Amino acid sequence: QVQLVESGGGLVQPGGSLRLSCAASGSIFSINAMGWYRQAPGKEREFVAAISWAVGVTAYSDVVKDRFTIARNNAKTTLYLHMNSLKPEDTAVYYCVADSASGLRGPYRYWGQGTQVTVSS
C-alpha cells in the first residue's frame, strides 16, 4: 500500500504561481511512476503530468506543458507540481497519483485525497 498526502493548494490570482507537493509513504519502493490529475466542477477528471520514478522521464497534458513542471526530490519520497502563468480554467481539485498500471498517463493504482486550486481575481 502507498499513502499520498497533497499540500500547497489555495487561491491565486490569474498569472500567478503555485507549488503543489505530495508526500508518499508506505511501500514506496514499488512505485514506478507518480503524477497529477485534476477535476474541475462539472468536468471529468483529467491527466495533468507524470514522472517515471526511476529515471525521471516526464509527460504533460497539452494544456499545461508550457506552464507546469513536475519534479521529485532526490529521496524519491515527494512529488511536486510547479504551476506558473495560472489561468481561471486551471481551477480544480488536484490529485496526486502513484504506481501506474500502464504508461505514464495511467491508469494509477493509488490516489491522494486532493487539494483545491482556485485561480481567481
Side-chain angles (χ1 to χ4, degrees), residues 4-5 7 9 13 15 17 19 26 31 34 37 39 42 50-51 57 72 74 79 88 90 102 107 109 111 117 120:
L4 305 171
V5 178
S7 61
Q13 292 188 342
S17 299
R19 186 185 77 167
I31 293 175
M34 288 186 69
Y37 277 67
Q39 186 167 22
I51 184 168
V57 174
R72 63 186 185 331
N74 288 337
L79 179 72
D90 294 317
S102 183
R109 295 178 60 192
W111 290 70
V117 172
S120 175

Side-chain angles (χ1 to χ4, degrees), residues 31-54:
I31 293 175
N32 56 8
M34 288 186 69
W36 296 92
Y37 277 67
R38 70 185 183 185
Q39 186 167 22
K43 295 188 176 181
E44 293 186 356
R45 197 171 291 183
E46 65 174 351
F47 171 81
V48 176
I51 184 168
S52 66
W53 222 230

Side-chain angles (χ1 to χ4, degrees), residues 29-81:
F29 60 86
S30 67
I31 293 175
N32 56 8
M34 288 186 69
W36 296 92
Y37 277 67
R38 70 185 183 185
Q39 186 167 22
K43 295 188 176 181
E44 293 186 356
R45 197 171 291 183
E46 65 174 351
F47 171 81
V48 176
I51 184 168
S52 66
W53 222 230
V55 297
V57 174
T58 58
Y60 295 91
S61 72
D62 288 342
V63 296
V64 308
K65 65 181 179 180
D66 295 324
R67 300 183 295 121
F68 293 7
T69 302
I70 191 169
R72 63 186 185 331
N73 68 341
N74 288 337
K76 299 179 183 177
T77 57
T78 305
L79 179 72
Y80 303 101
L81 185 67

